[in-house]
Amino acid sequence: FKKYPSSTITGYSYIIATCLMIVTAFVVASSDSILHFLCSDCDGAWEVPIITIYALLYWILMQSLLSYLLMTWANQYADPSVNLAYTVLQPLTSTVASVIILWTKVVPNCNDITGDKACLYGPSIADLGAIGICIGLYFVIYSDRKKRKREESFAQNMLEDEPSTKI
């Protein structure tokens, strides 16, 4: 297999993701029924409510920019398939962050309040998917370790089998 630089792999990933997101955005924007299903209280496909600006900025800067910079950096030191496997941890990280925010009472739990006050829902039965995420991640890491051990063993055997030349 040909080894590509980490920036090339990351670049191709972003190009493909961008193309898919453009198609998705136009499909959602052109269909009122899909838009209503995804956002029943939206005034239009391209309208961003003022209250979501801070969350959007956080998402852009922390979840996108910082995450992708760290992933690009990590691709220099580990196999890209292992690094990409860690992207599935984003939902798990969000769940842990929401639990911490609820425990510290920074934002009230929606189950504990009534009215239109800003609140946050805690983990639910749907978050049990995290178990599957962790199991899948374990298999990817285990497979990568096994592959590395095989390669090291093969390289060691090649060195031992090499005929020694004495002068």
Side-chain angles (χ1 to χ4, degrees), residues 22 25-26 28-30 35 43-48:
I22 288 170
F26 282 118
V28 169
S30 64
L35 180 62
D43 293 330
W46 304 106
E47 179 131 355
V48 178

Side-chain angles (χ1 to χ4, degrees), residues 58-59 63 89-101 120:
Y58 171 78
W59 183 261
Q63 296 293 342
L89 287 177
Q90 287 181 351
L92 189 61
T93 305
S94 298
T95 302
V96 170
S98 67
V99 167
I100 291 170
I101 289 171
L120 184 66

Side-chain angles (χ1 to χ4, degrees), residues 35-145:
L35 180 62
H36 180 71
F37 174 74
L38 293 175
C39 183
S40 59
D41 59 346
C42 290
D43 293 330
W46 304 106
E47 179 131 355
V48 178
I50 298 295
I51 196 165
T52 62
I53 295 295
Y54 292 119
L56 190 58
L57 286 174
Y58 171 78
W59 183 261
I60 290 168
L61 295 176
M62 299 304 285
Q63 296 293 342
S64 295
L65 182 68
L66 185 62
S67 297
Y68 293 141
L69 286 174
L70 289 171
M71 204 165 46
T72 302
W73 173 79
N75 277 337
Q76 297 174 358
Y77 301 102
D79 190 51
S81 63
V82 173
N83 289 330
L84 286 176
Y86 277 99
T87 60
V88 300
L89 287 177
Q90 287 181 351
L92 189 61
T93 305
S94 298
T95 302
V96 170
S98 67
V99 167
I100 291 170
I101 289 171
L102 288 172
W103 279 348
T104 57
K105 308 254 188 241
V106 172
V107 176
N109 192 328
C110 293
N111 297 328
D112 298 340
I113 65 167
T114 58
D116 290 339
K117 189 175 178 184
C119 60
L120 184 66
Y121 286 99
S124 65
I125 192 79
D127 295 318
L128 289 178
I131 296 169
I133 289 172
C134 292
I135 290 171
L137 191 57
Y138 169 78
F139 284 133
V140 169
I141 292 170
Y142 177 75
S143 166
D144 185 61
R145 277 193 189 150

